[in-house]
Amino acid sequence: MNFTGRILVVDGEQHTRINMKVRLTSACYAVSTAASGTEALRRAGIVRPRIVVIGVSLPDMTTADLCHGLRALPGGGDLQILAQAQGEARIAALQAGASALIDHMDDDLTLLARIRGLMRTDPQNDAAALPSGLAEPATAFQHDSRPRAVFISGQADIALGWRHALQGQVDFSISVCDPERALADAARGRVPELYLIAADMNQPGDGLRLMSELRSRPGSRDAGFVIALHAERAELAEMALDLGAGDVLAADMANPVAAAEAAIRLETQLDRKREADQRRLAAQRQMQLASLDPLTGLHNRRHALPRLARLHDQALSEGDPLAVIVMDLDRFKAVNDNHGHAAGDAVLISVAQRLALALPPEALLARMGGEEFLAVLPRHGADAALAVAEEIRLQVQESPVTLPPECAANEIHVSLSAGVAVLGGELAAGPEKLLARADRALLLAKAMGRNRIVMAEAALAA
């Protein structure tokens, strides 16, 4: 099973850890445990949890100390920390970086609600949703091409009754399942376009909690949700809508008039969902276009500079090397002047493809403007960066670029010059300084005759 998120539970009491793991695993979370603060810090670096739940029984440090330690880990700034604390320890935990507090570990409703809220605000959710998260994951196992709705009730005969009342009146397929199956299917990526959920199932309000759980998951949060209420529970309508339901229907659909109305309202929710999906997709396409160079398909300056800053900060926090290579095509103006702009475009496209082939998979590659390119190499020191830069230079000059038919020449040879700068020591002054050093090295490479690589240190000595 694919779980929705990794949670690390920290508590000195074994029975508390076991109990928490069982409860959270049943809600389709992937759970690891630690018996002490020291073990928690070690395991957090290994399992990379999205949420850490801290109990009060830590044998080796205070809750605040553990919060400080977790925040100091690489990536700890984005970690969600839920701490159980009492009295003055509550303020200390918050000051040390706790995301939220809980009074009692045995309060299932509050604990799971807190975790859902933290999952919704987790920065990883947005990243995980691009680009495939804009609509439901593929459901190749379905043979019906129509939209799919899942009806959920505490008693199967009630959901089956809804399906019987609506079949033939709606243009979507209907499945019936229980809450546990709905959560498991969502964790596997089997998400319908629409959920119809009974507000009360085994316990009062179970359906609202199930909806909140599904809406907290990246895979199912964009589905449509409708809550079915019995007349005597009408006071829950406001709460259901506040929690994210698109509509609230009467649970009794046996009457043909009620069924017809329900069919229309459910179809309306599907229409709204389709429109929302289209808006998200359009917004994502606009974001992609804004960050890409339209000619080469590489990232542009607007995307590259913030990404360089993040890689720079990550390298500093983790103690890893980082290299940047600034590249410029030699005598590119002559290409446009002698062969036309179509030839210049062909050269830029061909060079971009060669750069992408020569760089390691983890590298960032961008066209910064005109004939200038940038490569950022995480975990590359001076020697490794020089080797990559030399491979790039050879790839560019090795074979000619084929020109479009309208050009006078069939092909043209091109070369590039590059400046390399590596993070370390006095170079840890910021990404702008790192980029500036590579720029100065590039200028020196041009002055030395072009078609060569120069390290930033050589630029300083010049």
Side-chain angles (χ1 to χ4, degrees), residues 292-312:
L292 295 180
D293 171 51
L295 178 64
T296 63
L298 300 181
H299 292 299
N300 59 17
R301 175 184 289 270
R302 181 177 179 179
H303 172 90
L305 293 181
R307 179 64 177 150
L308 169 61
R310 291 193 293 272
L311 290 172
H312 175 275

Side-chain angles (χ1 to χ4, degrees), residues 39-117:
E39 183 184 0
L41 293 173
R42 180 182 64 82
R43 289 194 63 79
I46 297 172
V47 304
R48 303 281 184 177
R50 294 171 64 182
I51 294 180
V52 178
V53 180
I54 306 173
V56 294
S57 303
L58 298 183
D60 56 344
M61 63 179 70
T62 66
T63 299
D65 290 337
L66 180 52
C67 289
H68 272 302
L70 290 168
R71 290 298 182 206
L73 293 174
D78 290 333
L79 192 61
Q80 305 288 345
I81 303 174
L82 178 59
Q84 181 185 3
Q86 299 172 351
E88 295 180 359
R90 296 170 65 86
I91 301 299
L94 291 170
Q95 292 174 337
S99 308
L101 300 176
I102 189 170
D103 293 323
H104 303 288
M105 287 287 210
D106 57 358
D107 184 351
D108 267 352
L109 298 182
T110 303
L111 176 65
L112 290 175
R114 283 292 192 185
I115 289 175
R116 289 193 297 269

Side-chain angles (χ1 to χ4, degrees), residues 354 391-401 413-415:
R354 298 182 193 192
E391 175 64 20
I392 287 172
R393 188 186 69 83
L394 293 175
Q395 284 274 7
V396 170
Q397 74 160 17
E398 187 175 46
S399 58
V401 175
H413 285 272
V414 295
S415 65

Side-chain angles (χ1 to χ4, degrees), residues 12 53 76 80 139 160 198 204 212 216 233 241 292 308 378 383 390-391 401 415 435 445 453 457:
V53 180
Q80 305 288 345
T139 51
L160 288 170
S212 295
S216 74
R233 296 285 282 165
L241 294 170
L292 295 180
L308 169 61
D383 291 343
E390 181 62 16
E391 175 64 20
V401 175
S415 65
L435 194 58
I453 311 297
E457 289 76 9

Side-chain angles (χ1 to χ4, degrees), residues 148-457:
R148 187 169 68 100
V150 168
F151 290 180
I152 307 169
S153 177
Q155 299 176 4
D157 59 334
I158 294 177
L160 288 170
W162 295 341
R163 184 172 70 176
H164 178 74
L166 294 172
Q167 275 184 333
Q169 301 192 61
V170 295
D171 190 23
F172 55 82
S173 66
I174 301 173
S175 302
V176 171
C177 73
D178 57 39
E180 292 75 17
R181 175 64 181 274
L183 287 171
D185 282 350
R188 295 186 181 99
R190 299 177 178 178
V191 179
E193 282 78 4
L194 179 69
Y195 291 98
L196 174 61
I197 305 173
D200 299 321
M201 292 185 280
N202 297 323
Q203 298 292 331
D206 274 0
L208 301 185
R209 288 188 286 274
L210 174 62
M211 178 180 68
S212 295
E213 189 70 49
L214 289 166
R215 292 193 73 248
S216 74
R217 314 259 171 125
S220 53
R221 64 185 175 188
D222 293 327
F225 291 90
V226 176
I227 294 296
L229 281 175
H230 288 288
E232 62 272 19
R233 296 285 282 165
E235 75 278 1
L236 292 180
E238 182 177 359
M239 182 182 298
L241 294 170
D242 286 341
L243 289 173
D247 201 353
V248 176
L249 301 180
D252 185 3
M253 301 180 196
N255 183 297
V257 175
E261 178 183 336
I264 294 171
R265 292 167 69 175
L266 290 172
E267 291 280 13
T268 297
Q269 292 303 309
L270 277 173
D271 288 341
R272 290 179 180 175
K273 184 210 162 6
R274 281 190 287 266
E275 292 171 359
D277 286 345
Q278 291 170 0
R279 289 193 299 270
R280 281 191 297 272
L281 184 58
Q284 173 59 17
R285 285 172 176 165
Q286 289 298 319
M287 290 176 62
Q288 290 176 337
L289 290 174
S291 67
L292 295 180
D293 171 51
L295 178 64
T296 63
L298 300 181
H299 292 299
N300 59 17
R301 175 184 289 270
R302 181 177 179 179
H303 172 90
L305 293 181
R307 179 64 177 150
L308 169 61
R310 291 193 293 272
L311 290 172
H312 175 275
D313 293 346
Q314 181 180 344
L316 284 180
S317 67
E318 297 180 0
D320 290 334
L322 179 74
V324 298
I325 306 174
V326 176
M327 300 159 278
D328 191 272
L329 293 178
D330 297 327
R331 298 184 174 88
F332 181 72
K333 184 176 182 297
V335 175
N336 284 327
D337 291 345
N338 297 332
H339 302 279
H341 288 286
D345 289 349
V347 167
L348 291 171
I349 294 170
S350 176
V351 168
Q353 293 170 346
R354 298 182 193 192
L355 296 182
L357 290 173
L359 288 171
E362 70 273 17
L364 166 67
L365 176 61
R367 181 187 176 196
M368 301 298 281
E371 66 272 26
E372 185 177 318
F373 297 86
L374 170 70
V376 183
L377 306 176
R379 295 179 294 280
H380 278 64
D383 291 343
L386 275 175
V388 171
E390 181 62 16
E391 175 64 20
I392 287 172
R393 188 186 69 83
L394 293 175
Q395 284 274 7
V396 170
Q397 74 160 17
E398 187 175 46
S399 58
V401 175
T402 301
L403 299 183
E406 62 267 26
C407 298
N410 294 326
E411 58 186 24
I412 185 174
H413 285 272
V414 295
S415 65
L416 61 72
S417 302
V420 182
V422 179
L423 178 66
E426 73 282 6
L427 301 184
E432 300 85 0
K433 295 290 183 65
L434 188 64
L435 194 58
R437 292 175 69 87
D439 276 328
R440 289 197 293 271
L442 169 62
L443 292 175
L444 184 56
K446 292 284 190 180
M448 293 173 64
R450 299 181 176 85
N451 194 20
R452 64 189 64 224
I453 311 297
V454 173
M455 282 293 296
E457 289 76 9

Side-chain angles (χ1 to χ4, degrees), residues 136-145 148 188-191:
E136 304 75 40
T139 51
F141 66 95
Q142 298 176 44
H143 299 291
D144 194 330
S145 61
R148 187 169 68 100
R188 295 186 181 99
R190 299 177 178 178
V191 179

